[in-house]
Amino acid sequence: MAFEELGPTFVKLGQLLSTRPNLIPPAFVEEFKKFHDQVTPISFEEIKRVLEEDFARDLEGIFAFIEPAPLAAASIAQVHLAKLKSGEDVVVKVQRPGIVDTIQNDLVVLYNIAGLLERYVPESRMFNPQSVVDEFFKTLELETNFVIEANNIRRIALNFQDDPIVKIPKVYLEYCTTRVLVMEQLKGIPLSDHLRITETGIDGEKIVASGLRAFFKMAFRDGIFHGDLHAGNLFILPENKIGLVDFGVVGRVSQRTRDAIANMLVALATEDYEALTYEYIDLAPYNSHINVDKFTRETRDLLAPYYGMTFKNINAGKLLMDSTAIAARYNIIMPSELMLFFKALVTIEGMGRTIVRDFDLLPYALEFAQVIVQNKYDPQRIIKDFAKVARDSTALIYTLPRQLKQFLRKLNSQDFAVDLNISQMEELKRSIETNGNLNYLGLVVGSLIIASTMALNYEKGPTLYNLPVVSLVGFGFAFFLSILAFYNYIRK
């Protein structure tokens, strides 16, 4: 409720954190899942003003009409139905005025909070709060630039141009700006409209299967996938075709990450928890402090209760997300694209279970994962990988003599020196200096006490309370230096 009151940026942040069980406790994850990106629509006059500013001409020259009532209103943009002058039915997505300034102001606050966390809460450093805000900033930067979304749609449409089942809407690039996106209207039933699906007698299982295959084709074949494929973004079109919309959030996965995801899914299906943990370790940046045995044991404890059960009764996506939370406890930092893929899996799995009661995601995932695993040994891929190795080796052979020559010149130079940086050396140096100072003060204090005690037998000279003044002065200095030494010890 506090995040909702803070506005759209924090709603988006809550939605991001709901997909990161490796960063926040389960109770917070469940609470943040309640966010709905629905807001009060803004007036059509404000929408019209944005369109006129971006097109710099009268709208009558572009559109035959624009429906004043919005089709949908979200925190970043509002969607209206329209018809172009050329006769095509389109959807116009318009950014809410001032939303970018609001987001930037909020991000300044978030960066400051992240900086304070890292500075004053050492336990938070392992989660790298500033990098989380960086990731959030990049996500919002892409989501608020509709030219990038238009290009995402164009690329994915190109990948599916020969697919008889999947329809990606056409984008009218000549009418797209950073704040306006114009694309083809898909005339069908959204998968979220369960009543109409039931009334029309559509085979929900077949539709869900088509949507899943489309998602895994995007991820495993093309390396770019829809990052938010919920039921509202999937349309059932005539002839049992499906249409996908809203490409503001897309994920991109490298070949290495695709191979790792495929191996993880195979490990999940074959109950090989050790292979699963090593895939996490291999994907994460190197860390010499990982306790592999304990990490493997905790992962086994997570998965073991589900062994022998069919995946119709298990949420595979959530299991993978939960395993990343275990990885975080062992300082294993997961790539953001992997987390987005797992989040997309959880969303799709939830969508599937609302349509098909006994929905099982894993067989569809394995269908593509096994192809990826087999393709690792495909002659063409081996040749391609070998070509990369050969190219890198050639570059090394060319640069090695030059680098060796530079090193030898530096070695023979009169100014050559080796800098040794030993971990915690500064702390050791400071500790030795502190101990040396304390030992010196202790020696002086001890000498003063001994000298003052011997002076008690000195009968000549002034006295105070029948004690020689020189003894009292010596004891006073010894007491003062003792207090000084104790203060320095406490302070350092």
Side-chain angles (χ1 to χ4, degrees):
M1 288 167 66
F3 269 51
E4 283 179 345
E5 190 175 334
L6 285 167
T9 311
F10 287 84
V11 169
K12 288 287 182 185
L13 177 63
Q15 289 172 334
L16 170 71
L17 291 175
S18 72
T19 69
R20 301 300 295 267
N22 59 324
L23 295 179
I24 59 174
F28 283 77
V29 171
E30 292 304 315
E31 190 67 22
F32 284 143
K33 282 179 182 176
K34 297 174 184 176
F35 279 126
H36 296 289
D37 197 12
Q38 296 293 324
V39 296
T40 304
I42 57 175
S43 70
F44 182 66
E45 289 305 314
E46 291 180 87
I47 293 293
K48 193 175 177 182
R49 188 161 55 248
V50 172
L51 290 170
E52 288 172 344
E53 286 174 4
D54 279 34
F55 291 144
R57 54 176 165 152
D58 289 336
L59 300 182
E60 288 76 11
I62 301 172
F63 301 102
F65 80 89
I66 303 176
E67 179 62 50
L71 183 66
S75 56
I76 288 178
Q78 195 160 294
V79 177
H80 291 258
L81 295 175
K83 184 186 282 288
L84 294 176
K85 272 282 189 182
S86 51
E88 294 94 339
D89 291 324
V90 294
V91 169
V92 183
K93 184 176 179 180
V94 184
Q95 194 175 104
R96 297 174 77 91
I99 189 66
V100 172
D101 292 335
T102 301
I103 288 171
Q104 287 176 346
N105 291 335
D106 289 342
L107 282 171
V108 170
V109 175
L110 286 173
Y111 271 116
N112 287 332
I113 292 172
L116 290 169
L117 272 173
E118 290 195 11
R119 185 173 179 182
Y120 295 109
V121 186
E123 295 85 357
S124 72
R125 290 171 194 158
M126 66 178 284
F127 299 109
N128 203 348
Q130 288 188 316
S131 73
V132 175
V133 179
D134 277 331
E135 178 191 336
F136 180 50
F137 167 71
K138 289 171 187 172
T139 301
L140 283 181
E141 190 177 36
L142 295 175
E143 206 170 338
T144 52
N145 188 337
F146 292 169
V147 171
I148 292 174
E149 182 174 351
N151 190 51
N152 291 338
I153 298 171
R154 184 193 61 80
R155 284 187 60 189
I156 293 173
L158 198 62
N159 293 334
F160 281 93
Q161 63 182 349
D162 298 322
D163 194 297
I165 302 296
V166 180
K167 170 74 175 173
I168 308 296
K170 176 185 175 182
V171 177
Y172 295 87
L173 291 172
E174 63 271 29
Y175 302 129
C176 291
T177 69
T178 54
R179 298 193 297 171
V180 179
L181 176 65
V182 179
M183 58 184 169
E184 175 188 1
Q185 179 189 348
L186 295 184
K187 296 178 180 178
I189 304 171
L191 199 59
S192 55
D193 194 341
H194 303 307
L195 183 61
R196 285 178 66 190
I197 291 173
T198 305
E199 288 174 350
T200 51
I202 293 170
D203 187 346
E205 188 168 359
K206 189 174 180 180
I207 295 298
V208 170
S210 298
L212 268 175
R213 288 195 176 95
F215 172 78
F216 286 121
K217 275 182 186 177
M218 285 187 276
F220 288 127
R221 185 192 67 184
D222 307 323
I224 177 171
F225 62 90
H226 197 303
D228 191 23
L229 195 56
H230 57 74
N233 289 337
L234 195 152
F235 282 77
I236 304 168
L237 307 178
E239 300 176 7
N240 275 335
K241 292 183 179 181
I242 61 168
L244 308 181
V245 298
D246 193 1
F247 291 86
V249 180
V250 299
R252 290 173 174 82
V253 281
S254 64
Q255 186 61 59
R256 180 187 170 210
T257 307
R258 277 180 262 175
D259 291 342
I261 291 170
N263 292 336
M264 287 176 191
L265 291 168
V266 171
L268 196 63
T270 57
E271 304 174 357
D272 189 351
Y273 49 83
E274 192 169 353
L276 181 64
T277 55
Y278 273 103
E279 289 299 334
Y280 282 143
I281 292 167
D282 291 343
L283 270 182
Y286 175 74
N287 186 341
S288 59
H289 303 295
I290 297 172
N291 189 327
V292 179
D293 290 336
K294 285 188 74 175
F295 176 40
T296 304
R297 189 160 55 248
E298 279 205 48
T299 306
R300 180 194 61 203
D301 292 342
L302 170 70
L303 301 176
Y306 302 100
Y307 287 170
M309 295 174 64
T310 65
F311 276 86
K312 291 178 181 179
N313 305 312
I314 302 170
N315 192 324
K318 187 175 184 302
L319 273 182
L320 288 170
M321 289 285 272
D322 289 345
S323 64
T324 64
I326 296 173
R329 290 204 292 272
Y330 291 92
N331 296 333
I332 300 171
I333 301 169
M334 291 291 101
S336 58
E337 65 268 20
L338 182 69
M339 298 305 300
L340 182 59
F341 178 84
F342 286 169
K343 176 253 183 185
L345 270 189
V346 172
T347 304
I348 291 169
E349 201 163 16
M351 174 186 71
R353 289 182 194 276
T354 61
I355 307 297
V356 183
R357 182 173 295 178
D358 294 330
F359 174 73
D360 188 357
L361 173 138
L362 208 59
Y364 301 101
L366 289 175
E367 179 184 332
F368 289 91
Q370 286 167 350
V371 171
I372 290 287
V373 172
Q374 289 166 4
N375 284 347
K376 288 171 70 174
Y377 309 102
D378 181 70
Q380 287 187 342
R381 177 158 176 198
I382 291 171
I383 292 169
K384 187 178 176 182
D385 291 343
F386 182 74
K388 288 181 183 176
V389 173
R391 185 183 62 215
D392 291 343
S393 301
T394 304
L396 178 64
I397 291 168
Y398 276 122
T399 58
L400 188 60
R402 192 183 307 127
Q403 297 291 338
L404 189 59
K405 182 181 177 182
Q406 290 294 328
F407 174 72
L408 291 173
R409 286 183 64 186
K410 186 177 179 180
L411 191 64
N412 291 323
S413 170
Q414 292 180 348
D415 300 326
F416 177 73
V418 177
D419 290 331
L420 266 178
N421 290 320
I422 301 175
S423 176
Q424 298 178 334
M425 176 60 79
E426 285 299 318
E427 189 177 335
L428 177 62
K429 181 182 173 184
R430 190 164 56 249
S431 177
I432 290 171
E433 287 176 352
T434 303
N435 287 334
N437 291 336
L438 289 173
N439 288 336
Y440 174 73
L441 278 173
L443 185 63
V444 172
V445 168
S447 300
L448 281 170
I449 291 172
I450 291 170
S452 300
T453 303
M454 293 174 66
L456 289 174
N457 298 320
Y458 184 63
E459 296 179 353
K460 296 179 180 179
T463 61
L464 184 65
Y465 300 112
N466 295 324
L467 294 173
V469 171
V470 67
S471 291
L472 292 175
V473 170
F475 283 129
F477 269 117
F479 177 75
F480 171 74
L481 290 175
S482 298
I483 295 297
L484 183 65
F486 182 71
Y487 170 75
N488 281 332
Y489 175 76
I490 295 297
R491 186 171 61 87
K492 293 185 179 181

